[in-house]
Amino acid sequence: MLTTKRRSPRLSVRTNRSSRSNMKKISLGPLLTILVLVILAAMFAYMSYQVSGQQDKLDTLQTTITKDSQTVSSIVNFINTSIANTQAAQ
């Protein structure tokens, strides 16, 4: 039969007390606050990046629409002028 030595209760209590006194108590409030602020800052940066990309696409689209509108307008004016000249010649 195996026998093991048991620690004296006094030694285990002393060990627990010394480890508890050496550990600093860390409050979760400030840690959670910092974590939330970092997450919010990351979300803000991501959304800013997305909005910037969408703004660039929108600017390109507006430029294209303006050019196409001018082209269509000049073609319509050419057709109207041709029709008016044809009707005036008859």
Side-chain angles (χ1 to χ4, degrees):
M1 184 180 242
L2 293 174
T3 59
T4 58
K5 283 187 172 180
R6 292 188 178 181
R7 292 184 186 179
S8 69
R10 195 174 248 179
L11 180 62
S12 64
V13 170
R14 183 179 295 156
T15 305
N16 288 339
R17 284 183 187 167
S18 64
S19 66
R20 285 182 190 162
S21 64
N22 288 340
M23 290 179 51
K24 293 182 179 180
K25 292 185 179 182
I26 299 173
S27 177
L28 291 180
L31 184 62
L32 289 176
T33 303
I34 290 171
L35 182 64
V36 167
L37 289 176
V38 167
I39 289 172
L40 285 175
M43 287 175 55
F44 176 77
Y46 176 74
M47 295 303 283
S48 177
Y49 174 75
Q50 290 293 326
V51 168
S52 176
Q54 293 295 323
Q55 186 63 39
D56 292 342
K57 289 179 184 177
L58 186 61
D59 290 342
T60 304
L61 183 63
Q62 285 177 342
T63 303
T64 304
I65 289 172
T66 302
K67 287 180 182 177
D68 290 347
S69 295
Q70 290 172 352
T71 303
V72 169
S73 180
S74 65
I75 291 171
V76 169
N77 286 337
F78 175 75
I79 293 172
N80 286 339
T81 304
S82 298
I83 291 173
N85 289 340
T86 305
Q87 287 176 353
Q90 291 178 352

